[in-house]
Amino acid sequence: MPVVNRIADYAEEMKAWRRHLHQIPELALDLPKTAAFVAERLREFGVDELHEGIAQTGMVAIINGQGEGPTIGLRADMDALPIPEETGVEYVSGHPGNMHACGHDGHTAMLLGAAKYLAETRNFRGRAALIFQPAEEAIGGARIMVEEGIMDRFDIGEVYALHNAPGLPEGHFLTTPGALMAAVDTFDIHIQGKGGHGAMPHETRDPVMAACGIAQAIQTIVSRNHHTLEDLVVSVTQIHTGTVDNVIPDTAYINGTVRTFNPEVQKMVMRRMKEIVAGQAASYGVEAELDYEVGYPATYNDAEKTAFAVEVAQEISGAGKVEADGSREMGAEDFAYMLQARPGSYLFLGQGDSAGLHHPKYDFNDGIAPVGASFFARLVERAQPLNA
C-alpha cells in the first residue's frame, strides 16, 4: 500500500492548512492563532473529544474507533522560531522576525490530515490520541504536557512522531532503535575582571584573555577527557566582550552547548567544565561563574515499537525507501520526554533537497504531507486492527 488514496485526496487541503500556518508563526507556549486554527479544523472533522489548554496552547484530540481497545498517541509540534524569513514565498510569515524554519507547520498539517481520515473512516479499535504540542524549540513543551498528565489522563499506551529531514530523499524514512538523538545542555560563563586602558594592560585583570583561555581549554574535554568511541560534542557558540579598540573591558561572557548520549559522559563534562573554569579564572586573576543547565534528555526509540513503525513506513514508501538502522545524530528533540513516559518511536521523513532546518530560506515540502499523514493513519489501523 502506498499513500492512502483517501489521504491523497486531501493533498490540496493539507497544503492550504500548512501555508496558512506558515503565515502565522508563533513561539514557545504562546500559540493562540495556531492553536485556534488547529482546534477549528479538528472540530470540523468531528473528533470525539478535544482537550485544549494543555501546556497553555497545546491540545489532545481523541478519535474513537470501533470497539474496545488501547489508545495510541500521535504527536505534532506547532511552534516556530525567532528567525527572519528569507524564502520569498507568497505565503511568507506575517509575523516579522518569526518563521517556521523547522517545518512544524508541515508536521501539524500532516497530523491534521491523519485526523481527518481517522475521524471519517474509524477503521480501528480503541482510540487515537492526537497530541498537538507547543514549545518544542524552546522550553520543552513535551515535558510540560507529560507533567500535566496526558499519558495517564488519556491512557496512552504508545506514542509516535515524525520530523521532516532536508537532504534525505523525498518520501524516504530514517530511524533507528535505541538512541536516535542526543541530550542537549547549555552553559553560560560570566567572567569578571578589571578593565583599563588598552595601552596599560599590566594595570588590568584582562577578561578577554581569560575568555580565550577558557574557550580553548573547554575543547580539551572532548579531545583529552573522554573515550573516543563515546559520542560527545562541546561547542562554544558565543563570546561577548569589549566595546572599543583601546579599552580592556571589565567583563566577558561565554555561551555554548553540550551534546551527549551517556549520562556518565554528561556528568564528566559538568565536572571538568567546573574545574576548567575555576582553574583558568585563577590563572588569569579573574573571577568566573559557570551556569550549566541540563536540557532535553537523549531520544531513545523502543526497539519493538520502532520495528513496527518501520513496517508501516515500508508499507507507505516501499522497503527500499526506509532506513531502519540509521545513524544517530547530535541534534536534540523534546519528544524524548514522551518516549521516557511511554514506549514508541521517532522517525525522520525525507523532504528532498532544500535549505537546512533553522535556515532563513527553509520551507517545508508540501509534497510529503500525504506520506506523513498516511504513516500516522496506518500506524493506528495496524496497531489496533478491527479484526484482532
Side-chain angles (χ1 to χ4, degrees), residues 25-374:
E26 297 171 303
L27 305 181
L29 298 173
D30 190 21
L31 316 180
K33 294 180 182 178
T34 302
F37 178 83
V38 171
E40 185 178 1
R41 301 288 80 70
L42 293 168
R43 291 190 179 96
E44 287 176 358
F45 304 158
V47 299
D48 296 288
E49 303 172 26
L50 182 58
H51 303 268
E52 300 176 79
I54 304 171
Q56 190 170 319
T57 50
M59 67 194 79
V60 175
I62 300 297
I63 301 173
N64 295 326
Q66 302 180 49
E68 295 297 317
T71 302
I72 183 171
L74 309 173
R75 173 270 209 169
D77 37 16
M78 301 187 293
D79 58 319
L81 285 156
I83 297 175
E85 184 167 353
E86 298 178 7
T87 61
V89 296
E90 61 182 14
Y91 46 89
V92 68
S93 167
H95 296 170
N98 296 349
M99 72 169 289
H100 272 292
C102 202
H104 296 185
D105 50 349
H107 302 166
T108 300
M110 290 191 293
L111 191 53
L112 284 173
K116 181 171 182 176
Y117 171 83
L118 292 169
E120 179 182 290
T121 60
R122 301 181 187 262
N123 188 32
F124 62 96
R125 294 182 303 113
R127 306 193 306 171
L130 283 60
I131 304 164
F132 291 89
Q133 178 211 307
E136 189 281 325
E137 299 287 2
I139 58 175
R143 172 186 56 80
I144 297 170
M145 293 188 87
V146 170
E147 289 176 350
E148 291 187 7
I150 65 167
M151 297 302 177
D152 291 333
R153 178 180 175 186
F154 303 110
D155 196 27
I156 297 170
E158 55 192 284
V159 64
Y160 299 87
L162 285 175
H163 201 294
N164 76 95
L168 187 65
E170 183 174 331
H172 285 228
F173 289 85
L174 183 148
T175 191
T176 194
L180 177 66
M181 302 183 76
V184 54
D185 299 337
T186 301
F187 61 88
D188 300 277
I189 303 168
H190 298 272
I191 303 168
Q192 178 68 55
K194 177 185 176 184
H197 199 294
M200 304 172 190
H202 61 286
E203 296 181 354
T204 72
R205 289 181 282 112
D206 191 346
V208 179
M209 295 306 297
C212 293
I214 290 171
Q216 287 185 311
I218 282 173
Q219 299 308 310
T220 67
I221 297 173
V222 175
S223 65
R224 291 296 179 268
N225 296 135
H226 96 291
H227 195 290
T228 55
L229 297 182
E230 288 281 0
D231 291 337
L232 171 62
V233 169
V234 178
S235 291
V236 174
T237 55
Q238 296 185 74
I239 299 178
H240 298 289
T241 186
T243 55
V244 294
D245 64 288
N246 63 349
V247 175
I248 293 172
D250 285 316
T251 63
Y253 167 75
I254 301 171
N255 169 252
T257 186
V258 176
R259 307 297 172 112
T260 59
F261 286 99
N262 185 335
E264 293 305 313
V265 173
Q266 182 186 47
K267 291 177 184 177
M268 179 276 292
V269 172
M270 295 170 68
R271 174 179 58 80
R272 284 297 295 135
M273 198 167 287
K274 290 177 183 177
E275 294 168 350
I276 287 170
V277 170
Q280 291 289 314
S283 71
Y284 285 98
V286 300
E287 297 177 358
E289 180 182 351
L290 169 67
D291 180 11
Y292 191 102
E293 180 180 353
V294 175
Y296 300 170
T299 302
Y300 279 90
N301 281 339
D302 178 85
E304 180 181 345
K305 303 303 182 186
T306 300
F308 167 65
V310 164
E311 288 182 9
V312 175
Q314 290 173 337
E315 185 180 287
I316 301 300
S317 290
K321 296 183 179 180
V322 180
E323 188 171 352
D325 194 19
S327 299
R328 64 189 187 179
E329 65 167 68
M330 304 309 289
E333 165 62 64
D334 78 343
F335 188 64
Y337 293 107
M338 294 193 182
L339 289 175
Q340 285 184 335
R342 292 294 187 272
S345 190
Y346 185 89
L347 299 88
F348 293 104
L349 173 58
Q351 79 152 26
D353 293 331
S354 74
L357 301 175
H358 293 212
H359 191 281
K361 294 186 183 297
Y362 169 87
D363 190 28
F364 180 82
N365 178 358
D366 290 306
I368 66 171
V371 179
S374 295

